[in-house]
Amino acid sequence: DQQVKQNSPSLSVQEGRISILNCDYTNSMFDYFLWYKKYPAEGPTFLISISSIKDKNEDGRFTVFLNKSAKHLSLHIVPSQPGDSAVYFCAARDNYGQNFVFGPGTRLSVLP
Amino acid sequence: DARVTQTPRDKVTEMGQEVTMRCQPILGHNTVFWYRQTMMQGLELLAYFRNRAPLDDSGMPKDRFSAEMPDATLATLKIQPSEPRDSAVYFCASGREIGELFFGEGSRLTVL
């Protein structure tokens, strides 16, 4: 039973356009959400996070939106660059056990 | 430049052999996580520790896997005996009580 879902295994976007990666969760005890980026043969690296008390957090080209009522979050990358091509993992932390649960990932390809 | 260090980076072994993976968390971090990356499940939690105490190892096959933190600078994940289905990339991550996790570069295990 996946608590964090990323229903799109892959996404292709043209360079300069917006990339939107989606994530859904089922556990209402999650209070902190993160996005990680992973290149081949490397470990995941932290990208951006959002607390459950906010609905938006922005850092340069990256913005994360949280819709608690829908248990949905999304990562927007504007403008997309070829170097953004990677696997993106959505993660959530529960406020009880402090465990981090990851989604299965979405592979983003930004085409030049 | 603080980082999580994992050894070995690559390990090829035969079925039935013992495998030990090691992780040095970032100094000052008090939580350590072990994840396994598979194609279907993404990042699957195996075990995690807080202040060296195991908090959750429910994701780990107990009959063959074991995880320990002999001291604050070393976490180990042992598989005995190893099986071909254990072939995967194993990641260690560390963090503080709040904030994001920092991942190592992973240990790629191949069991023949």
Side-chain angles (χ1 to χ4, degrees), chain A residues 2 32 34 36 38 41-46 49 87 89 93-94 96-105 107, chain B residues 9 33 35 37 39-43 45 48 50 55-56 91 96-106 108:
Chain A
Q2 276 191 342
Y32 183 55
L34 312 91
Y36 281 80
K38 185 184 179 306
E42 294 183 10
T45 54
F46 171 72
S49 63
V87 176
F89 290 99
R93 187 192 66 190
D94 71 75
Y96 176 70
Q98 301 288 298
N99 180 17
F100 286 82
V101 180
F102 283 78
R107 180 177 302 277
Chain B
R9 289 296 313 276
F33 292 73
Y35 288 92
Q37 184 182 13
M39 292 296 291
M40 298 302 295
Q41 300 284 349
L43 288 170
L45 177 70
Y48 86 99
R50 184 189 300 156
L55 289 190
D56 185 353
F91 288 103
R96 294 193 176 93
E97 293 284 348
I98 57 173
E100 70 272 20
L101 290 182
F102 294 80
F103 280 79
E105 294 190 324
R108 178 179 297 276

Side-chain angles (χ1 to χ4, degrees), chain B residues 9 13 21 25 35-36 40 61 74-75 82 107-108 112:
Chain B
R9 289 296 313 276
T13 191
M21 289 168 273
Y35 288 92
R36 175 169 62 181
M40 298 302 295
L74 177 64
S82 57
S107 293
R108 178 179 297 276
L112 304 175

Side-chain angles (χ1 to χ4, degrees), chain B residues 6 15 17-18 22 27 38 41 48-50 59-61 80-82 95 107:
Chain B
Q6 288 186 245
M15 183 174 62
Q17 296 297 305
E18 177 179 303
R22 293 177 174 82
L27 189 65
T38 63
Q41 300 284 349
Y48 86 99
F49 298 79
R50 184 189 300 156
M60 214 162 58
Q80 168 62 24
S82 57
S107 293

Side-chain angles (χ1 to χ4, degrees), chain B residues 1-100:
Chain B
D1 185 24
R3 57 179 180 158
V4 176
T5 304
Q6 288 186 245
T7 56
R9 289 296 313 276
D10 278 284
K11 175 74 175 178
V12 180
T13 191
E14 294 189 346
M15 183 174 62
Q17 296 297 305
E18 177 179 303
V19 175
T20 299
M21 289 168 273
R22 293 177 174 82
C23 168
Q24 181 176 358
I26 293 173
L27 189 65
H29 285 185
N30 67 333
T31 61
V32 173
F33 292 73
W34 283 104
Y35 288 92
R36 175 169 62 181
Q37 184 182 13
T38 63
M39 292 296 291
M40 298 302 295
Q41 300 284 349
L43 288 170
E44 176 188 11
L45 177 70
L46 296 175
Y48 86 99
F49 298 79
R50 184 189 300 156
N51 297 322
R52 294 178 54 203
L55 289 190
D56 185 353
D57 60 1
S58 57
M60 214 162 58
K62 300 290 191 306
D63 56 337
R64 299 183 300 109
F65 285 60
S66 62
E68 295 179 348
M69 276 202 77
D71 60 60
T73 65
L74 177 64
T76 63
L77 179 67
K78 187 178 295 186
I79 308 174
Q80 168 62 24
S82 57
E83 298 181 0
R85 59 180 167 153
D86 301 329
S87 298
V89 181
Y90 291 79
F91 288 103
C92 174
S94 71
R96 294 193 176 93
E97 293 284 348
I98 57 173
E100 70 272 20

